[in-house]
Amino acid sequence: MATNFEQYLKHNRQKHLDELFDFLRIPSISSLSEHKEDVKTCAEWLAQSLMSAGLENVKIMETDGHPVVYGDWLHAEGKPTVLIYGHYDVQPVDPLHLWDTPPFEPTISDEKLFARGASDDKGQVFMHVKAIEALLQTTGALPVNIKMMIEGEEEVGSPNLPIFVENQKDLLAADVIVISDTGMIEKGKPTICYGLRGLCGMQINVKGTKGDLHSGLYGGGVQNAAHAIVELLASFRGKDGRILVDGFYDKVVAITDNEKKAYEALHTDEEKLRQDLGVPKLFGEKGYTFNERTWVRPTLEINGVYSGFQGEGIKTVLPSEAAAKITCRLVPDQDPDEILALIEKHIDANKPEGVTVTVEHLDKGAPYVTPYDHPAIQAAGRAYEKVYNVPTSYTRGGGSIPIVATFDQILNLPVVLMGFGLPDENFHAPNEHFHLENFDKGLLTICHYWYELTDAM
Ligand code: BES
Ligand code: MN
Ligand code: MN
């Protein structure tokens, strides 16, 4: 039986890629209001795709933001029910001039598929749809019950999803949640992620004089908004990479010896990483490895700073305004709201003289870690091993999927983060791509997983 879906997928590979191209052509950028219609079109495209794969009860469910696409197949009586979550929205594409091919004109080059969303997350969502199709077409049934719920607001922090999940508890009832929206540690190394960092962020606005001023007439007499924000931002971090916000680390759960050993056993080559990233030195909190710093330690990062004259040549001006966007990656047991409050307190205590400072909160989500000895997670590890023929690694991830902690709280189900992306696939950046090797192998892994799961649960 196993060879059946394998043959089906092989035989239909080009057709499936053509369909994925159509999915990727729709510019479903959730953060930009001018793309609202495209996001809707994308939801409609996906709903059609779910239907033609053989899912039932397919519907587009409205939220206060972008819609959720739902579909199910519930005829595996007595077998576990899987809720598959993913997102069909994508990040903006700027800076456009750095793309080698247009972001919404999918292109294959060197066995990699280039397009915005190829890896994060349309490519991976599409694999789940085609795995279902392959099993239904070749065996007429699925070994498990499946509910698919694909949202359109992940890249903006899923602001409307917690209430949706709360309201649709019955519809979403399941035994396990499976998500393919993370990555493998390196090519050929299947990886299950058992933890994600949380997130919180804010915009900081600094307002000085009424308007910009001549730096000859007023320079030396009033505060300069650009200097003020630089001074404030500098106060957030020590030269050693530690965050200097009072209380920032208070609730951080220390890394366990077991985790430390497990991460050492991955033998991450930091020197190779340094070269690949093109930097003279890796940088971060002292006393921790790169993996530890990016998986189990929190950060506060400046994402953008805006102020003053950016044009050609000289302009002797005192900027009257400055702004910065900062975000923190959080780890258990940090709480996004508590951290935002600590940062506000820090700003209050460190704000430079002669300006007014205001803040606006941005997206947030709680951190998440789960024990990976759960049978559903171990079954996923075995499915990967069947296809990749090497042991599965269990790691935490540095990124965030805000709804995962909410799933944990509201639905209280095990979450299996079974991702097929690779760290160098430029998620959120120009030239995002997806390795077709993982498209092919991932499809097989997913099919095997549903069989493994029936035995495991
Ligand atoms: N798929 C990523 C998250 C991810 C990537 C987790 C790699 C682990 C490894 C997701 O789409 C994402 O980008 N999330 C955002 C959330 C934010 C916009 C609220 C993130 O992590 O920045
Ligand atoms: Mn994603
Ligand atoms: Mn993303």
Side-chain angles (χ1 to χ4, degrees), residues 360-386:
E360 292 161 57
H361 293 186
L362 304 169
D363 307 335
K364 61 189 175 205
Y368 172 79
V369 175
T370 188
Y372 56 83
D373 55 7
H374 192 283
I377 298 184
Q378 291 296 317
R382 287 196 300 279
Y384 266 128
E385 286 164 6
K386 277 204 159 145

Side-chain angles (χ1 to χ4, degrees), residues 60 104 122 206 217 311 320 327 346-347 355 388 416:
I60 295 175
F104 297 110
K122 285 176 171 173
V206 171
L217 292 174
S320 66
T327 52
H346 177 96
I347 292 174
V355 287
Y388 287 84
V416 184

Side-chain angles (χ1 to χ4, degrees), residues 85 87 89-91 119-121 124 153-159 179-184 193 195-200 295 327 329 362-365 396-402 417 421-423 427-428:
Y85 161 86
H87 63 95
D89 64 322
V90 299
Q91 286 272 331
S119 180
D120 182 10
D121 182 35
Q124 301 198 54
E153 295 193 312
E154 195 277 340
E155 297 293 10
V156 290
S158 307
I179 303 177
S180 296
D181 190 26
T182 51
M184 317 200 299
C193 197
L196 293 164
R197 290 197 285 187
L199 188 83
C200 67
W295 295 342
T327 52
R329 295 286 169 175
L362 304 169
D363 307 335
K364 61 189 175 205
R396 282 160 69 171
S400 310
I401 305 176
L417 295 163
L422 286 176
F427 319 140
H428 297 198

Side-chain angles (χ1 to χ4, degrees), residues 256-417:
T256 63
D257 285 344
N258 278 347
E259 279 188 308
K260 220 174 167 48
K261 278 190 205 121
Y263 299 163
E264 269 159 25
L266 297 172
H267 298 294
T268 303
D269 186 344
E270 292 200 10
E271 172 54 19
K272 180 172 181 299
L273 207 67
R274 183 196 69 74
Q275 283 175 21
D276 289 349
L277 295 172
V279 277
K281 190 175 186 286
L282 295 177
F283 176 82
E285 197 186 353
K286 294 274 170 309
Y288 296 94
T289 64
F290 180 88
N291 286 342
E292 291 165 359
R293 297 200 303 264
T294 54
W295 295 342
V296 307
R297 299 297 295 171
T299 63
L300 182 158
E301 302 273 358
I302 301 168
N303 306 119
V305 191
Y306 320 84
S307 186
F309 179 60
Q310 314 281 324
E312 196 182 334
I314 191 173
K315 187 179 184 209
T316 51
V317 67
L318 300 180
S320 66
E321 287 179 344
K325 290 189 193 260
I326 63 169
T327 52
C328 297
R329 295 286 169 175
L330 309 175
V331 299
D333 291 325
Q334 288 177 304
D335 174 86
D337 290 312
E338 278 172 27
I339 294 296
L340 288 171
L342 293 176
I343 295 173
E344 285 195 33
K345 224 169 120 191
H346 177 96
I347 292 174
D348 221 44
N350 290 276
K351 65 170 177 251
E353 289 174 21
V355 287
T356 315
V357 181
T358 54
V359 301
E360 292 161 57
H361 293 186
L362 304 169
D363 307 335
K364 61 189 175 205
Y368 172 79
V369 175
T370 188
Y372 56 83
D373 55 7
H374 192 283
I377 298 184
Q378 291 296 317
R382 287 196 300 279
Y384 266 128
E385 286 164 6
K386 277 204 159 145
V387 179
Y388 287 84
N389 290 313
V390 293
T392 299
S393 298
Y394 297 84
T395 73
R396 282 160 69 171
S400 310
I401 305 176
I403 199 62
V404 171
T406 312
F407 278 150
D408 193 41
Q409 286 151 19
I410 303 181
L411 301 177
N412 192 18
L413 296 173
V415 180
V416 184
L417 295 163

